[in-house]
Amino acid sequence: MSAGDGPETGEEAKVVNGLYIFDIEMRDGKRGQARGVVVLCEGRIMGGDSYFYYTGSYTFRGGKWRGDMIVNQHTEAVGKTLAFGGREVTCGFSGDYFPGGAEVEGMALVGKTSVTFTARLTLKDAM
């Protein structure tokens, strides 16, 4: 079997390399929502939404995954107050992955405020 063909019996399922749509809901500390796209590829995360871009890394094992990201603003939000506005924000997450997507819970440090979030990723195009 060549890499990328899928798991054989007894082999661990892997986070599928590809383009994902994500929905994030921020909770404690600051409230907000975001929707965007992210590419997961060989342990790297790259993506963004209307105002921010994300870079980071992840590892996985046995249906669980974890990682960290740096979030930076790329576009000014005229007339809007953004939870992460104007700051470089570090986030950590962990959760479950499964065929076609993943779910995570995480925490972002926004200045001196900790913001918890949940996110759901849906695979749109495998690589």
Side-chain angles (χ1 to χ4, degrees):
M1 172 194 288
S2 65
D5 285 345
E8 289 182 358
T9 303
E11 239 182 84
E12 176 183 354
K14 298 184 181 330
V15 173
V16 174
N17 292 335
L19 176 68
Y20 292 76
I21 300 292
F22 67 80
D23 289 289
I24 296 175
E25 185 169 332
M26 291 176 279
R27 299 181 185 229
D28 304 327
K30 305 229 180 211
R31 296 216 175 255
Q33 297 177 329
R35 183 175 178 100
V37 296
V38 66
V39 172
L40 302 179
C41 185
E42 302 300 324
R44 294 200 52 203
I45 302 168
M46 295 174 284
D49 60 34
S50 298
Y51 303 105
F52 299 95
Y53 67 92
Y54 315 102
T55 57
S57 62
Y58 64 90
T59 59
F60 59 89
R61 183 176 187 153
K64 303 284 184 193
W65 70 314
R66 64 182 333 124
D68 55 72
M69 298 185 308
I70 303 291
V71 179
N72 286 283
Q73 190 170 346
H74 63 72
T75 299
E76 190 169 333
V78 178
K80 294 186 178 195
T81 302
L82 302 176
F84 292 0
R87 301 175 185 213
E88 181 175 275
V89 175
T90 303
C91 304
F93 67 86
S94 63
D96 299 315
Y97 67 88
F98 41 84
E103 293 181 347
V104 300
E105 292 185 359
M107 182 174 291
L109 186 58
V110 183
K112 294 181 179 180
T113 304
S114 294
V115 178
T116 59
F117 63 89
T118 58
R120 181 165 184 91
L121 289 78
T122 305
L123 180 64
K124 288 300 187 181
D125 191 14
M127 299 184 347

